[in-house]
Amino acid sequence: MAVGNVQITGTGQLIELSRSLRAAGGPRLQQNFSRRIRRAAEPLHRDMQQTIRNLPISSQGRKAGSRGGPSPTTRPLRATIAGAVKISVRASSNPGARIWVDRSALPSDLRGMAAALNEGRIRHPVFGNRRRWVQQNTTPLWWENTVRAHTPRMQAEVARVLDDVRRSIT
């Protein structure tokens, strides 16, 4: 699973239910369905943002004789990426919830950073100096592990929503 996109769908069941909702002509039912699917996905969305905000990033210590200095940017890396984690819900075609990293919400130099963080390794030039590179490490597969932790709860909640809506239609 690539970083940046998680889709929770019940494939055939959600599509069948979506068609039934349209046939029943109930916009109120569709709104209720969408609201409950969103509510089922919101804990994962919040946890994704919290996980990235608290993701430890470590590096090798400075070498003897090397100089340090303030960061050339005041932009907080993890908070910027956490702000780009989005959620959307569809009740019509391809119904379900989707959580992804909106790369267009990130500055151009950070667009690949969520994937790099998920790999557990960030290699970058020191303060933009392309002759000197460093590697920083973090917890690999944070995206997949967070999704895996929430999957059983979300599947149970989506099944409960499907049953409730199916009962209200029939």
Side-chain angles (χ1 to χ4, degrees), residues 30-96:
Q30 278 190 326
Q31 288 172 349
N32 185 32
F33 173 71
S34 296
R35 187 180 75 248
R36 289 187 63 193
I37 294 293
R38 174 179 288 277
R39 205 175 296 153
E42 281 174 348
L44 174 60
H45 179 239
R46 283 191 302 271
D47 199 21
M48 285 288 188
Q49 290 178 323
Q50 193 64 30
T51 300
I52 190 66
R53 280 189 183 101
N54 296 326
L55 198 63
I57 299 176
S58 63
S59 63
Q60 301 164 351
R62 289 191 177 143
K63 299 197 175 26
S66 67
R67 296 190 263 320
S71 172
T73 178
T74 58
R75 179 182 60 225
L77 171 70
R78 289 171 279 208
T80 302
I81 295 172
V85 176
K86 307 289 183 189
I87 182 173
S88 67
V89 176
R90 293 179 86 171
S92 56
S93 65
N94 196 16

Side-chain angles (χ1 to χ4, degrees), residues 3-4 52 75-86 100-115 117:
V3 153
I52 190 66
R75 179 182 60 225
L77 171 70
R78 289 171 279 208
T80 302
I81 295 172
V85 176
K86 307 289 183 189
W100 79 102
V101 175
D102 185 4
R103 292 171 39 121
S104 66
L106 293 171
S108 61
D109 60 333
L110 295 182
R111 296 224 166 113
M113 189 56 72
L117 287 171

